[in-house]
Amino acid sequence: DSGVTQTPKHLITATGQRVTLRCSPRSGDLSVYWYQQSLDQGLQFLIQYYNGEERAKGNILERFSAQQFPDLHSELNLSSLELGDSALYFCASSATSGRGSEAFFGQGTRLTVV
Amino acid sequence: TQLLEQSPQFLSIQEGENLTVYCNSSSVFSSLQWYRQEPGEGPVLLVTVVTGGEVKKLKRLTFQFGDARKDSSLHITAAQPGDTGLYLCAGAQGAQKLVFGQGTRLTINP
């Protein structure tokens, strides 16, 4: 158990809909990352938050947005969903102190858009 | 642009053989991590290397960080079916951002 909790584990929704994925980081970790992983692909970095503020942005679509709340949990909002958005979405957290940024991953949310 | 290139992308070998996976970049990283991911699960951290030239061993797995901190390798001795999975390297850059390679999908056949 990594200590990172993601909900829901599975999500099936129709095209055009909007969903929210939730992530609770490890206790004490200030940094949260969101990644997308399509079938048999590597991890595509979407966005990073650190202590409530956006720190880095990757290839995140304009239809997607995220935020980190004062209690450090994070939400990833996906809107106007398309079939191609079907993927595993992972959240990871790290302490981001010092030179090591070891990330601990949740078990992911499998999103299926039909 | 993929900052971290992993090779090979796919590798299928017989149980008992040795193998090496490479992670290369033209960028310098403050640290580099290796993760292993099984189907339907999140990546799990195996090791972090921080110092150029550093070598770390984890049972039959040997990890090395290049002298210039731009590349790394993972060597597995006497591979076992339980080693099967997706191996990901990740480099840490400024602002504590992690950059992942595309992964090496390893299959060990009994």
Side-chain angles (χ1 to χ4, degrees):
Chain A
D1 183 4
S2 67
V4 178
T5 303
Q6 286 189 249
T7 57
K9 195 160 186 179
H10 300 277
L11 195 51
I12 301 175
T13 190
T15 55
Q17 295 298 305
R18 172 190 170 95
V19 297
T20 297
L21 312 184
R22 183 188 167 100
C23 170
S24 294
R26 289 190 321 157
S27 177
D29 283 357
L30 299 179
S31 195
V32 169
Y33 302 79
W34 285 98
Y35 292 88
Q36 180 192 57
Q37 187 176 45
S38 301
L39 189 65
D40 288 339
Q41 298 295 311
L43 288 164
Q44 298 297 320
F45 170 66
L46 295 178
I47 198 163
Q48 178 199 1
Y49 279 82
Y50 177 78
N51 202 22
E53 298 203 355
E54 184 183 304
R55 176 62 67 94
K57 216 166 185 175
N59 298 323
I60 187 167
L61 300 172
E62 285 191 12
R63 300 183 286 109
F64 296 0
S65 64
Q67 54 184 329
Q68 186 178 28
F69 295 87
D71 67 353
L72 301 178
H73 91 271
S74 178
E75 292 180 355
L76 179 67
N77 300 296
L78 315 176
S79 61
S80 302
L81 285 167
E82 301 175 359
L83 295 178
D85 297 327
S86 295
L88 267 168
Y89 290 84
F90 286 105
C91 164
S93 74
S94 71
T96 64
S97 61
R99 290 194 296 169
S101 299
E102 296 172 345
F104 295 86
F105 284 80
Q107 295 218 310
T109 293
R110 181 175 294 280
L111 173 67
T112 304
V113 182
V114 297
Chain B
T1 302
Q2 187 66 37
L3 288 182
L4 275 171
E5 297 287 341
Q6 284 189 242
S7 61
Q9 287 191 6
F10 300 93
L11 184 58
S12 180
I13 62 171
Q14 294 300 120
E15 181 177 0
E17 293 183 2
N18 302 333
L19 67 108
T20 302
V21 174
Y22 298 94
C23 176
N24 294 303
S25 176
S26 57
S27 303
V28 176
F29 296 100
S30 54
S31 67
L32 194 139
Q33 288 116 48
W34 284 92
Y35 296 79
R36 180 165 155 252
Q37 184 182 21
E38 298 195 28
E41 302 289 328
V44 175
L45 179 68
L46 295 175
V47 77
T48 297
V49 285
V50 178
T51 307
E54 183 177 1
V55 176
K56 279 193 175 177
K57 291 194 174 185
L58 189 65
K59 296 183 181 177
R60 292 175 295 99
L61 278 60
T62 301
F63 304 86
Q64 183 160 8
F65 202 11
D67 291 340
R69 290 188 286 125
K70 293 182 180 180
D71 52 80
S72 180
S73 64
L74 157 60
H75 182 78
I76 301 179
T77 304
Q80 298 177 2
D83 296 327
T84 293
L86 179 67
Y87 288 81
L88 297 156
C89 66
Q93 295 186 310
Q96 304 298 332
K97 174 184 170 183
L98 271 184
V99 177
F100 278 86
Q102 285 297 95
T104 293
R105 189 164 297 282
L106 176 64
T107 304
I108 310 299
N109 304 300

